[in-house]
Amino acid sequence: MANASTPGEGTPVAVRMSTFDRLPWRRMILVWLSVAIAVFVIWGSWKTLDAKAYSGAAWRQFVILGIAQGAILALIALGYTLVYGILRMINFAHGEIFMAGAFGSYFFAAAYTQSGFLDRHPIPALLILFLTAIITSVGIAVLLE
């Protein structure tokens, strides 16, 4: 017994690990949760499709809106990552600045909807809304800086 010794002699006592102790529990739990979430999403989607609650056009719109929201969240996460990587501290001002730009653009969109401009000329109206959001966000960021 080269590794085993009595406690107190200064050399560690060899501990025999069982197969149960060596299992990658964290990975197994994450895989199980991922599968459960995927099954739940697929089951819920199937039930709503089967119930004819939404048409195919609505599902296409859900997918497009989901991709758009995911892209926005990915850009925000990328901004957090870049700021943290450079400064080594988290700056939570990004969300407030993005939301201020979104609210500024929302108020313009509400006015364009009431006037009918958004329905008559959607492309120029969207460009103006994007510019409004950008200008609002930049203006608030410069004022905060």
Side-chain angles (χ1 to χ4, degrees):
M1 285 195 221
N3 289 345
S5 66
T6 59
E9 288 183 6
T11 57
V13 176
V15 177
R16 216 174 172 141
M17 292 181 65
S18 68
T19 307
F20 184 75
D21 292 333
R22 286 186 253 160
L23 288 174
W25 288 107
R26 177 177 285 172
R27 182 169 296 197
M28 289 170 47
I29 290 171
L30 288 175
V31 166
W32 184 83
L33 282 175
S34 300
V35 169
I37 289 170
V39 166
F40 181 73
V41 167
I42 291 170
W43 177 75
S45 300
W46 180 262
K47 284 299 205 180
T48 55
L49 282 172
D50 193 36
K52 305 281 190 248
Y54 300 104
S55 66
W59 274 98
R60 280 192 297 277
Q61 189 173 6
F62 290 155
V63 169
I64 290 170
L65 291 175
I67 290 171
Q69 278 187 330
I72 290 170
L73 291 174
L75 285 173
I76 292 171
L78 183 62
Y80 281 139
T81 304
L82 289 174
V83 168
Y84 180 73
I86 293 170
L87 298 178
R88 300 278 185 213
M89 68 177 218
I90 296 176
N91 182 2
F92 287 111
H94 290 90
E96 296 164 2
I97 293 172
F98 287 140
M99 285 307 297
F103 275 120
S105 181
Y106 170 77
F107 291 126
F108 269 83
Y112 285 157
T113 302
Q114 286 180 351
S115 69
F117 181 71
L118 189 63
D119 293 328
R120 287 190 310 260
H121 308 289
I123 302 297
L126 286 176
L127 290 174
I128 292 170
L129 292 176
F130 282 134
L131 286 174
T132 302
I134 291 168
I135 291 169
T136 304
S137 296
V138 168
I140 291 175
V142 167
L143 288 174
L144 284 176
E145 194 62 37

